Amino acid sequence: MGFSEKIYTLRTQTGMSQAAFAEKLQVSRQTVSKWELGTSYPEIEKLLAISSMFHVTTDYLLKDQSVSQEEVRMDRLVLRFLGYAQDMEGISKDLVNIMRDGVIDEEEKIRMNDIVKTLNEVAHMIEEIKQALRSSGIY
């Protein structure tokens, strides 16, 4: 998505008309129209004002970057982790119930094996997330 599409999207998502946007930036509505059509670009001071107004970076506004494979991978990892995180309360309750009487029967052994498998998957996922963060320079 290019600059023109981004400011159009930001403006319309906030329910702001071209006229209202133009007034806030102290430019004409036609100027905003040209920016959104991609026939002209704002001056740096206006670009900074747009960035501040919509709480986005100037990099976001100016760079025509698609989402990287690493970002997609990280999103998927986090979503999978969140799915497991939702299961953690149930797993904790199961563990308490299994340990309550101090004796683990065959059915409880099967459930314990399932819990251990899930916890190993979560641990592996955490390592994958750490690795993705390291490779992106965040961790």
Side-chain angles (χ1 to χ4, degrees):
M1 183 175 357
F3 174 78
S4 60
E5 295 161 312
K6 288 176 185 177
I7 62 167
Y8 171 80
T9 301
L10 290 167
R11 179 183 63 75
T12 56
Q13 283 177 343
T14 59
M16 196 180 313
S17 67
Q18 281 187 344
F21 184 46
E23 185 177 320
K24 285 182 183 254
L25 293 171
Q26 299 177 343
V27 297
S28 69
R29 190 204 53 78
Q30 290 81 4
T31 297
V32 170
S33 178
K34 288 178 184 179
W35 294 344
E36 291 182 356
L37 290 171
T39 59
S40 70
Y41 292 90
E43 298 170 352
I44 290 175
E45 68 181 42
K46 301 300 182 191
L47 183 65
L48 293 171
I50 294 167
S51 170
S52 178
M53 183 183 305
F54 294 120
H55 307 289
V56 296
T57 64
T58 54
D59 271 1
Y60 168 78
L61 291 171
L62 295 174
K63 290 183 179 179
D64 189 17
Q65 295 177 330
S66 59
V67 175
S68 71
Q69 288 297 91
E70 191 61 34
E71 290 171 314
V72 169
R73 179 173 172 253
M74 179 63 81
D75 288 348
R76 287 183 183 153
L77 287 172
V78 169
L79 287 173
R80 279 181 39 217
F81 178 78
L82 290 174
Y84 281 117
Q86 290 177 339
D87 295 340
M88 286 298 131
E89 184 178 352
I91 288 172
S92 297
K93 287 178 182 177
D94 285 351
L95 283 173
V96 168
N97 289 332
I98 289 169
M99 304 307 275
R100 183 169 291 152
D101 63 5
V103 178
I104 300 176
D105 62 28
E106 286 303 311
E107 187 178 311
E108 290 171 330
K109 282 182 186 177
I110 293 169
R111 180 62 185 136
M112 285 290 289
N113 284 332
D114 290 341
I115 290 170
V116 168
K117 181 181 174 186
T118 299
L119 293 175
N120 284 334
E121 289 173 10
V122 169
H124 177 73
M125 190 176 310
I126 289 170
E127 287 305 313
E128 285 185 69
I129 291 170
K130 283 182 184 177
Q131 182 59 37
L133 290 170
R134 280 187 203 107
S135 66
S136 67
I138 295 172
Y139 177 75

